[in-house]
Amino acid sequence: MRNLQAAGGGLFVIGIILISADVVLSRLINIKGVPVVSVIGGALMLLVFTSILNWIFKVAWAERSNSDPPQK
């Protein structure tokens, strides 16, 4: 779990750095008006968010599946 958190944190920081660099350096690379570096940074951040949500859902599903059924 520690490795997953470290990887997620690293990717999130890289995403923030890419977006910041693109904003500070006035749109490094544009393809048809789309700031490519910012889009890649945003995609990395989105990847981290979806990974975290997927992990939370997986843990919650396992806890739900392992619980005893309600008694009648």
Side-chain angles (χ1 to χ4, degrees), residues 2-72:
R2 281 296 212 206
N3 291 337
L4 182 63
Q5 288 176 340
L11 286 176
F12 191 79
V13 169
I14 290 171
I16 290 174
I17 290 170
L18 287 174
I19 292 172
S20 301
D22 200 33
V23 169
V24 169
L25 298 175
S26 303
R27 314 277 183 199
L28 290 173
I29 302 171
N30 282 332
I31 297 179
K32 295 184 181 179
V34 177
V36 175
V37 178
S38 290
V39 169
I40 293 171
L44 287 175
M45 293 171 66
L46 184 62
L47 176 71
V48 171
F49 287 136
T50 56
S51 262
I52 291 169
L53 288 174
N54 186 32
W55 184 263
I56 291 170
F57 182 75
K58 178 182 173 183
V59 170
W61 190 263
E63 287 178 5
R64 179 185 177 277
S65 298
N66 291 335
S67 66
D68 294 334
Q71 300 294 328
K72 291 185 179 182

